[in-house]
Amino acid sequence: MEEGCKGVQRTSCSHMPKQTLETNLTNLVKRNSELENQMAKLIQICQQVEVNTAMHEAKLMEECDELMEIIRQRKQVIAVKIKETKVMKLRKLAQQVANCRQCLERSTVLINQAEHILKENDHARFLQTARNVAERGPPANHMTAPNPPSVREELCTASHDTITVHWISEDEFSVSSYELQYTIFTGQANFISK
């Protein structure tokens, strides 16, 4: 009996660890499979991050290149306009300088002649020379008044306490200020303001 019991115990004891091991092995295999699937998904996500990052970088570079090209073209256009404005203004100013120089030369000649006349002792000759100088008159002033500005009515606005006037002028470089007059129409009287 004792040997039988021992045999039974040996048999039952030898089967239990095997089942447990098989169960553990099955669980480990299942766990490994889950880990492999999870690792494959993580690798796929990493690859997708790489692809997305490359796409975003490419898009960023493309947009920056477009902006830089727009800025370059705009810079070139503005630079040309600045140079053209400079040439136009310098041309007009050079003409005004030439006119001033011509007036100054004529004025200097008249001054020299007047000083020479004042030294003349012969009264008849003095009168004749003075008359000739007077007929020549003072040097003509070739400076012209600037043109009035052109009001851009479509850009002008008015509210209960503000009036905004837009204008353009070809002579803006030689004019320091403009005087603005406007009329307020009321039910009783019209007021003219400056």
Side-chain angles (χ1 to χ4, degrees):
M1 293 254 278
E2 288 181 9
E3 290 181 7
C5 279
K6 287 181 182 177
V8 169
Q9 285 178 351
R10 254 191 229 119
T11 305
S12 61
C13 287
S14 64
H15 283 298
M16 296 258 324
K18 185 177 179 182
Q19 290 175 353
T20 302
L21 184 60
E22 287 176 351
T23 301
N24 290 341
L25 179 62
T26 301
N27 289 338
L28 285 174
V29 171
K30 183 179 179 183
R31 179 66 178 158
N32 275 4
S33 177
E34 290 174 355
L35 288 173
E36 286 177 354
N37 288 337
Q38 186 176 2
M39 188 172 68
K41 288 179 181 178
L42 290 172
I43 292 173
Q44 185 178 4
I45 292 173
C46 288
Q47 292 173 344
Q48 192 62 44
V49 168
E50 292 284 350
V51 171
N52 290 344
T53 302
M55 288 175 56
H56 288 307
E57 287 177 347
K59 185 177 181 182
L60 174 65
M61 294 299 293
E62 181 182 353
E63 290 177 351
C64 287
D65 289 343
E66 290 176 359
L67 287 174
M68 290 174 65
E69 179 62 19
I70 291 171
I71 292 172
R72 187 193 66 79
Q73 291 178 0
R74 182 67 175 157
K75 176 183 174 184
Q76 186 176 2
V77 169
I78 293 175
V80 169
K81 287 184 178 179
I82 290 173
K83 288 180 181 178
E84 289 176 350
T85 302
K86 172 187 170 184
V87 170
M88 180 190 71
K89 290 182 177 181
L90 288 178
R91 187 180 296 125
K92 289 184 178 181
L93 288 170
Q95 183 61 46
Q96 291 183 0
V97 169
N99 291 341
C100 286
R101 182 178 290 112
Q102 187 177 9
C103 292
L104 182 61
E105 290 172 355
R106 291 178 181 175
S107 178
T108 302
V109 170
L110 288 176
I111 289 172
N112 291 336
Q113 289 178 350
E115 289 176 347
H116 180 71
I117 292 170
L118 290 174
K119 296 176 183 177
E120 181 64 57
N121 293 326
D122 185 349
H123 186 67
R125 183 177 288 178
F126 171 81
L127 290 176
Q128 181 62 38
T129 308
R131 187 180 296 113
N132 291 338
V133 172
E135 288 175 356
R136 294 180 62 181
N141 186 0
H142 293 280
M143 303 290 286
T144 58
N147 296 324
S150 301
V151 176
R152 300 281 304 276
E153 294 184 12
E154 70 277 7
L155 299 177
C156 298
T157 59
S159 63
H160 68 284
D161 62 350
T162 304
I163 296 176
T164 304
V165 179
H166 289 261
W167 66 71
I168 56 174
S169 174
E170 296 178 357
D171 301 304
E172 74 277 0
F173 68 91
S174 62
V175 177
S176 59
S177 64
Y178 288 102
E179 182 180 276
L180 175 64
Q181 294 185 357
Y182 60 93
T183 304
I184 300 176
F185 295 97
T186 65
Q188 298 176 347
N190 297 334
F191 299 94
I192 297 179
S193 303
K194 295 183 180 180

